[in-house]
Amino acid sequence: MVKKFSMLALAGLIALPAVAVASGGASSNDLERKIEELSMQLDQLKSQMAQGAGGSGVSQEDFNDLSETVGDLEDRSDSWDLAARFKFYGDFRARLDYYNADTLFGDELKSDTVWTNRFRLNMRVKATENVEFKARLAMYKAWGMQSIPQGLAGGYPDWDGQASRTPNSSALLVDRAFVNWNNIGGAPIWFSIGRRPTTDGPPAQIRMGADQRMATPVSFMDWPFDGISMGYAYRWGSDAMGTGRVRFCYGRGFENGLQSDNSNSATDNIDDMDFAGLSWDVLKKDNRFVNVQSFMAFNVFNYPTFSSDLVNMGAAMPMDMGGYGDQVNVGEILHTSALYQDKFGPVNIFGVGGWSQTQPNDNGMFNDMAGMVAQGMMGQGMNMQQAGMAMYQMGITDPEMSRHTSDENGYSVYLGARYDIDQIGLKVGAEYNYGSEYWVSMSPGHDELYMSKLAARGSVYEVYGVYDLPTGAALSKYAKTFIRFGYQYYDYGYAGSMDWNMKPYDFDNSSDVATMRALGMDPVETANQLYLTFEAYF
């Protein structure tokens, strides 16, 4: 009986590598233990053969082959150990959107169907006990396109702050890539460096059906960038308070490269744009979560460097010729927000408050474009009287008034709730957010198709549902498949959402409306958007 069992065990050993790869669950320690056990059984069989080879049921040739197999598997166990350190998981999303918008002066913008595919592949691997590398590659494109479709991403070309976050091509881009050094000196301290996990932050996971935090900062800071963080974890000493974490974060939002001290071009003397601040998880206990974050954006640019050289050449044209003018620094932006999130029975709730303060330099922020264009008219041959009349018609009496150098405060509130009906796998929710006249949200990496809803100067209403599909037993701890559907209504009160360069012209102010008409501006006043997704995590 022992002899037959040993034969079956040795035969099963040959299949171990395939089983380990297929399951993804066998650890290197498990494999080593099984190899050790089967080696002992091989020794027992060898002893039995020496005592009575005729009754063992195993020829010497078969025994030698199986012995070589065990030795070979022992040699290969080190390779299994290396492979077992790598964890791969990902998700795929197909999305259908309908969008309809009415502009201030009566135009209609419409897209009946926009289909998009998004594929993301995550990787985690430990280099040492306390050093871990994490990465996410992402492909995101519209059906039938290998570039950004017209009007998406607010109409801007591709740039670093929304790379991999806006439908573009079928290229697989590095969305996140960073190294964490944990337990520094045996203390609950860590250091992290690389392309940061700074998109889809809380409370976005509630609406997106993820149910787990997906990024460090609150959603008002939805900007993929490269940087570092240093953190400390602690316990409150009370079960009711749970745990907390505080992080210092630094990142670069724009790199200008080499600069010349002798250059007369403003573009050649622009400073790099940096972020620095704190993100503090005040407490985390079960579903209760409180976070406060505050950061400063230093040397903010008037516009970024786009991926298209042709666009950059056009952007450098003077404003009176349809360009953006020279690329310059315009000052700093201080940003602070606070989040409360909890769950009571089947009801998830959250509330977020945000405050932004622009601190412009002499180039100004929220500048009145009318006055700056009127100045350009004088440079194009208009006499002072003609330019003065044009400025008067636009409501500008002093050209210098066009450059706004005063600090301005903006505010936002973001509220939401979701009701989970676990019996049928359905979750239904509603959200509302409002932004004031001078509100600035740092969210170019938003997950909306056209405009960031959290950047709106005005109100946005949304209702949505998430339905878990009955697709059978999960074969991975990451596995889930669901559809998500929703409706959004945008009601803007001011022009230029997320733009700190242009004056937020008031849609209810007749003078501002006349100025926008004279400038040829026709901003979106209201918009309706419907979306449907099919999402699989694996």
Side-chain angles (χ1 to χ4, degrees):
M1 187 71 169
V2 173
K3 301 168 189 175
K4 291 182 179 179
F5 175 77
S6 299
M7 280 296 300
L8 291 172
L10 287 168
L13 180 58
I14 299 173
L16 265 177
V19 173
V21 171
S23 67
S27 68
S28 59
N29 291 335
D30 291 337
L31 294 174
E32 291 174 2
R33 178 176 54 80
K34 290 177 181 178
I35 290 173
E36 184 178 354
E37 292 174 354
L38 292 170
S39 296
M40 292 175 60
Q41 293 176 8
L42 182 64
D43 291 339
Q44 292 174 6
L45 182 58
K46 182 177 181 180
S47 175
Q48 293 165 6
M49 289 180 65
Q51 296 174 6
S56 68
V58 181
S59 69
Q60 187 64 45
E61 184 179 356
D62 290 340
F63 180 83
N64 291 339
D65 289 342
L66 292 171
S67 297
E68 291 176 2
T69 300
V70 172
D72 181 55
L73 291 174
E74 287 177 336
D75 293 339
R76 290 158 58 189
S77 64
D78 289 340
S79 298
W80 297 342
D81 177 47
L82 290 173
R85 294 185 301 113
F86 289 81
K87 295 181 181 179
F88 292 93
Y89 55 100
D91 62 87
F92 173 81
R93 182 182 79 185
R95 174 167 169 160
L96 171 64
D97 282 84
Y98 164 86
Y99 184 78
N100 179 281
D102 293 320
T103 67
L104 183 62
F105 297 119
D107 194 8
E108 183 180 15
L109 307 174
K110 186 176 182 180
S111 178
D112 290 336
T113 57
V114 175
W115 290 89
T116 56
N117 287 337
R118 187 190 69 186
F119 164 63
R120 301 188 299 194
L121 179 64
N122 299 278
M123 182 179 74
R124 297 179 64 174
V125 58
K126 278 198 170 186
T128 68
E129 181 181 0
N130 294 319
V131 174
E132 183 179 35
F133 172 74
K134 296 182 180 181
R136 185 168 76 185
L137 307 179
M139 179 278 291
Y140 188 19
K141 70 178 296 292
W143 290 18
M145 291 288 289
Q146 286 291 332
S147 59
I148 301 176
Q150 180 178 336
L152 271 63
Y156 291 107
D158 194 24
W159 60 286
D160 186 66
Q162 41 92 318
S164 77
R165 302 290 300 174
T166 296
N168 198 338
S169 73
S170 53
L172 201 59
L173 302 178
V174 177
D175 184 43
R176 299 176 178 181
F178 57 96
V179 172
N180 291 336
W181 176 16
N182 303 311
N183 303 316
I184 299 176
I189 298 172
W190 74 91
F191 170 80
S192 181
I193 186 168
R195 190 154 180 86
R196 310 306 303 151
T198 50
T199 53
D200 297 333
Q205 74 277 5
I206 295 177
R207 175 171 62 111
M208 294 182 179
D211 292 330
Q212 291 185 348
R213 184 176 184 171
M214 297 184 288
T216 298
V218 174
S219 285
F220 286 148
M221 179 59 182
D222 207 331
W223 186 317
F225 64 86
D226 308 282
I228 62 175
S229 70
M230 192 84 175
Y232 171 75
Y234 61 88
R235 292 185 176 276
W236 279 99
S238 167
D239 288 340
M241 297 288 286
T243 61
R245 296 185 175 198
V246 60
R247 313 166 187 81
F248 167 77
C249 303
Y250 162 80
R252 176 139 295 174
F254 171 73
E255 168 62 53
N256 194 40
L258 289 175
Q259 303 178 42
S260 171
D261 289 339
N262 297 323
S263 174
N264 294 320
S265 170
T267 304
D268 288 342
N269 291 300
I270 185 174
D271 291 324
D272 301 327
M273 174 182 170
D274 291 326
F275 300 107
L278 292 174
S279 179
W280 179 21
D281 297 349
V282 180
L283 66 89
K284 176 72 172 69
K285 174 62 176 177
D286 299 325
N287 294 300
R288 182 169 300 153
F289 178 52
V290 177
N291 175 278
V292 176
Q293 68 180 32
S294 184
F295 64 89
M296 180 77 84
F298 298 91
N299 301 318
V300 174
F301 49 68
N302 56 343
Y303 61 90
T305 296
F306 300 114
S307 61
S308 168
D309 292 336
L310 181 62
V311 171
N312 289 326
M313 288 176 60
M317 292 172 59
M319 283 184 289
D320 56 279
M321 297 178 62
Y324 299 153
D326 285 332
Q327 192 177 30
V328 297
N329 297 118
V330 295
E332 280 73 49
I333 298 177
L334 175 62
H335 206 283
T336 301
S337 59
L339 161 74
Y340 175 80
Q341 179 182 306
D342 210 339
K343 185 175 183 179
F344 300 95
V347 180
N348 301 267
I349 64 166
F350 68 83
V352 190
W355 166 57
S356 65
Q357 183 183 72
T358 51
Q359 301 174 2
N361 59 22
D362 290 341
N363 290 316
M365 293 184 178
F366 297 125
N367 293 327
D368 192 327
M369 296 295 106
M372 301 183 81
V373 169
Q375 287 178 293
M377 292 176 181
M378 294 179 66
Q380 287 186 312
M382 277 191 178
N383 59 38
M384 187 176 297
Q385 183 178 3
Q386 290 172 323
M389 179 60 69
M391 292 165 60
Y392 176 78
Q393 291 174 346
M394 295 179 188
I396 303 297
T397 57
D398 182 354
E400 290 303 316
M401 290 176 59
S402 63
R403 205 171 295 280
H404 190 86
T405 57
S406 301
D407 295 357
E408 296 291 355
N409 296 295
Y411 306 93
S412 179
V413 61
Y414 180 27
L415 306 172
R418 192 189 76 189
Y419 186 84
D420 299 347
I421 312 173
D422 294 332
Q423 298 87 339
I424 59 174
L426 178 64
K427 308 173 182 72
V428 292
E431 295 185 356
Y432 169 78
N433 62 276
Y434 171 79
S436 68
E437 179 179 8
Y438 290 103
W439 165 245
V440 175
S441 177
M442 311 295 279
S443 53
H446 60 88
D447 192 52
E448 316 305 334
L449 199 60
Y450 293 93
M451 296 291 291
S452 168
K453 78 169 191 172
L454 294 184
R457 293 176 185 144
S459 296
V460 181
Y461 306 83
E462 180 171 3
V463 291
Y464 66 89
V466 179
Y467 177 60
D468 296 323
L469 296 173
T471 56
L475 302 181
S476 162
K477 70 176 184 178
Y478 306 103
K480 56 183 174 181
T481 308
F482 58 89
I483 59 173
R484 191 160 58 92
F485 49 93
Y487 167 72
Q488 296 173 322
Y489 176 71
Y490 294 74
D491 185 11
Y492 294 100
Y494 303 89
S497 295
M498 206 171 69
D499 186 356
W500 49 76
N501 295 297
M502 182 182 69
K503 175 183 176 180
Y505 295 108
D506 188 345
F507 292 172
D508 293 326
N509 183 294
S510 58
S511 177
D512 282 359
V513 170
T515 298
M516 286 186 281
R517 187 185 296 276
L519 289 172
M521 294 173 54
D522 192 10
V524 171
E525 186 174 24
T526 61
N528 297 274
Q529 184 162 349
L530 292 166
Y531 61 84
L532 173 66
T533 75
F534 178 91
E535 306 187 41
Y537 286 70
F538 44 84

